[in-house]
Amino acid sequence: MAEYDYVIRGGLVATAADESRCDIGIRDGRIVALGASLGAGEREIDATGMIVLPGGIDAHCHFDQPMNDGSRMADDFESGSISAAFGGTTTIIPFACQMKGGTLRDAITDYHGRAEGKAVIDYAFHLIVSDPTPGVLGQELPAVIKDGYTSFKIYMTYDDLKLNDRQILDVLDVARREGAMVMVHAENSDCIAWLTERLEQAGKTAPKYHAEARPPVVEREATHRAISLAELVDVPILIVHVSGREAVAQISHAQSKGLRIYAETCPQYLFLTAEDLDLDDFEGAKCICSPPPRDAANQEIIWNGLERGIFQVFSSDHAPFRHDDPQGKMLHGKNASFSKIPNGIPGVETRMPLLFSEGVMTGRLDLQRFVALTATNPARMYGLYPRKGTIAVGSDADIAIWDPRKDVLLTNDMLHHNVDYTPYEGRQLRGWPRWVMSRGELVVDDGKLTAKPGRGEFLPCDQPTPARPASARQPLAVAE
Ligand code: DUC
Ligand code: ZN
Ligand code: ZN
């Protein structure tokens, strides 16, 4: 009888800490051995020449999230999780969104119903807290945090979601007491509304004006304010989807003061610019997301922040709206103002391949940093470590085996989401995951889906255990 259910043999195995050429022995869905010349597996994968990495965790993606404006997300838990798996991701954390006037429990129940029987990989939920009533703050939120929903997003913009500063303080206070992680969407709502009105009055309504309505100062002010509120309450927060220099400066300054300010960025801030919104025939709508992509200099700042450890997490912010669809980008027709176009771009499948190709294969990021950003840090940040996010004895066998020699011309045809475009059409990439395993089961076998919808399990989350930001680490105090 074989010693293992699976052996992955001879690959270069990398974690956030190190790398070595070794075999991985898997039994009952978990990693049970790491070493040279392991005994036989019932099934084996020859990973010679391959890079073996922890399956990715996409800690910021939106699937089947109910919308208030009549738009509809194109991906549900089935298409979204399949797309994620093909891109090397084995855990997704989308958002159960509280509606104003609704409860958190209703949002959670509704979202479990949407996920039930659909996901091919494991999933947890963040919450979106949009209505922090006394009941939510006093009872519901502490109770659901104890039940394994240990992270939630708050918004400083979007009329149906935003909180004012007083509400933010109240929510941060609960997070501090209960040990939860708060993700902050940092853009100044009033500035955006004011700029939007002026642009629209001047007839400037094309998609490209979306970027003018949300300039860097709008993100900088809100980032500064979020950091200040977190400092006041003395609680860690994570600023999501950071787009460029101005917000990075605020975050890096806070980290250098020793504040526990964490940050996330996304592929759109490395690979798109505001010029992508300035395409004829409504094509620019494809790249409308918030905050908007900036320019080449800002892309460089984001790369630099990834290299220097200012960012801990690299997520997709996959928000899937079809382009040629009256429930998607065309919600109000081709001539609609930018302010009426659903925000968001697809990217759950391309997140890791883009960063692997343009970060790792070019030498900008080492494998350790890549793994930390895409898997280990998100697992720590959201209470899934060490079950998820690493390759270690006892961890779930969530593994992606990357072929670093595979050249891929990225086209929407090859992707598995339900969106009718990718903003990265025509990019030439190097490296792609060939085999993807979730809890010891192959879900992608060399380009073929081998998992059934519904096999993915819900993951209740523990308290976050993030490492301090690299730039906040103080030298050890040694007694004289
Ligand atoms: N911005 C968000 O905050 N969420 C979804 C998509 C987007 O562009
Ligand atoms: Zn957001
Ligand atoms: Zn988002």
Side-chain angles (χ1 to χ4, degrees):
M1 208 177 110
E3 204 173 333
Y4 304 104
D5 298 339
Y6 250 112
V7 173
I8 299 171
R9 223 174 260 291
L12 179 70
V13 178
T15 67
D18 55 19
E19 63 194 56
S20 68
R21 208 162 292 286
C22 71
D23 305 337
I24 303 176
I26 294 159
R27 206 183 305 123
D28 298 330
R30 298 216 167 174
I31 297 167
V32 293
L34 293 166
S37 310
L38 293 185
E42 208 165 291
R43 280 157 294 178
E44 303 215 349
I45 295 176
D46 179 5
T48 311
M50 302 287 151
I51 299 179
V52 183
L53 303 179
I57 298 181
D58 194 339
H60 185 159
C61 48
H62 303 265
F63 299 134
D64 200 10
Q65 191 176 310
M67 303 302 293
N68 284 321
D69 62 355
S71 63
R72 193 184 161 84
M73 289 195 173
D75 285 309
D76 63 6
F77 275 79
E78 184 170 329
S79 60
S81 67
I82 291 171
S83 187
F86 273 97
T89 290
T90 52
T91 302
I92 44 178
I93 319 184
F95 297 85
C97 180
Q98 180 199 22
M99 297 297 172
K100 284 212 198 293
T103 67
L104 295 174
R105 289 280 182 206
D106 284 349
I108 291 169
T109 305
D110 171 73
Y111 215 45
H112 275 294
R114 291 169 188 262
E116 190 64 42
K118 293 204 161 165
V120 298
I121 54 175
D122 293 348
Y123 56 96
F125 294 167
H126 304 294
L127 304 173
I128 291 171
V129 179
S130 69
D131 199 359
T133 61
V136 166
L137 293 166
Q139 289 99 46
E140 258 214 307
L141 191 50
V144 298
I145 291 170
K146 287 189 178 68
D147 287 349
Y149 306 90
T150 60
S151 51
F152 46 91
K153 183 174 176 189
I154 58 173
Y155 285 79
M156 300 171 84
T157 186
Y158 294 132
D159 287 343
D160 53 344
L161 298 172
K162 70 182 178 191
L163 306 187
N164 62 35
D165 290 357
R166 176 64 194 253
Q167 291 173 313
I168 293 174
L169 288 168
D170 285 339
V171 166
L172 291 178
D173 194 38
V174 176
R176 187 180 56 80
R177 272 204 314 276
E178 305 296 333
M181 179 59 71
V182 182
M183 309 158 78
V184 183
H185 180 129
E187 288 185 296
N188 180 310
S189 189
D190 284 331
C191 292
I192 294 167
W194 186 78
L195 287 167
T196 299
E197 202 175 292
R198 287 165 70 102
L199 287 162
E200 289 180 340
Q201 275 167 3
K204 297 179 171 178
T205 59
K208 70 174 176 183
Y209 294 109
H210 174 76
E212 289 194 22
R214 306 177 103 102
V217 58
V218 161
E219 185 184 3
R220 182 234 292 161
E221 186 282 328
T223 302
H224 177 85
R225 184 156 38 99
I227 291 169
S228 306
L229 299 180
E231 182 178 3
L232 197 67
V233 176
D234 187 22
V235 65
I237 55 167
L238 183 141
I239 310 284
V240 293
H241 44 51
V242 173
S243 74
R245 177 195 309 274
E246 309 236 352
V248 166
Q250 297 299 320
I251 292 160
S252 145
H253 176 67
Q255 290 174 348
S256 70
K257 288 195 333 187
L259 297 176
R260 290 166 299 164
I261 302 297
Y262 301 101
E264 169 205 85
T265 193
C266 312
Q268 45 271 40
Y269 307 116
L270 293 177
F271 301 107
L272 301 178
T273 69
E275 282 181 20
D276 292 301
L277 274 66
D278 187 12
L279 298 176
D280 290 343
D281 202 25
F282 206 59
E283 283 291 295
K286 290 179 175 175
C287 295
I288 284 193
C289 60
S290 295
R294 308 292 184 191
D295 61 14
N298 279 287
Q299 291 179 336
E300 200 47 39
I301 298 282
I302 298 293
W303 275 113
N304 192 259
L306 291 168
E307 288 160 18
R308 287 171 46 211
I310 290 172
F311 294 109
Q312 291 70 46
V313 179
F314 188 73
S315 307
S316 68
D317 198 8
H318 181 85
F321 296 101
R322 293 169 67 84
H323 180 248
D324 197 5
D325 190 319
Q327 288 188 301
K329 298 283 183 181
M330 300 280 192
L331 186 62
H332 295 280
K334 263 191 172 181
N335 295 318
S337 166
F338 65 87
S339 68
K340 301 282 183 292
I341 299 171
N343 280 206
I345 60 175
V348 71
E349 189 166 346
T350 46
R351 170 184 78 115
M352 292 178 72
L354 281 165
L355 193 68
F356 186 88
S357 175
E358 304 311 302
V360 177
M361 296 305 288
T362 60
R364 280 202 90 146
L365 302 176
D366 60 20
L367 277 173
Q368 283 63 52
R369 181 78 69 190
F370 178 79
V371 171
L373 286 162
T374 57
T376 313
N377 291 347
R380 285 184 177 282
M381 205 63 74
Y382 302 119
L384 293 171
Y385 187 84
R387 177 171 174 194
K388 302 292 190 189
T390 192
I391 294 180
V393 170
S395 295
D396 282 359
D398 286 11
I399 294 168
I401 304 175
W402 289 71
D403 181 347
R405 277 172 217 85
K406 195 172 162 89
D407 289 316
V408 174
L409 178 67
L410 198 53
T411 62
N412 198 50
D413 288 351
M414 56 169 288
L415 300 178
H416 300 81
H417 60 196
N418 194 27
V419 184
D420 55 357
Y421 74 95
T422 168
Y424 310 110
E425 185 78 27
R427 273 187 180 267
Q428 188 66 52
L429 300 186
R430 185 135 242 237
W432 201 274
R434 277 180 69 174
W435 296 279
V436 180
M437 180 175 274
S438 161
R439 271 183 288 104
E441 192 184 324
L442 264 196
V443 291
V444 174
D445 182 358
D446 209 0
K448 287 183 297 296
L449 180 70
T450 48
K452 291 221 172 2
R455 72 159 295 285
E457 289 178 0
F458 174 71
L459 303 162
C461 295
D462 296 327
Q463 282 202 350
T465 55
R468 271 193 181 267
S471 59
R473 286 206 187 102
Q474 306 293 332
L476 271 185
V478 181
E480 290 295 310

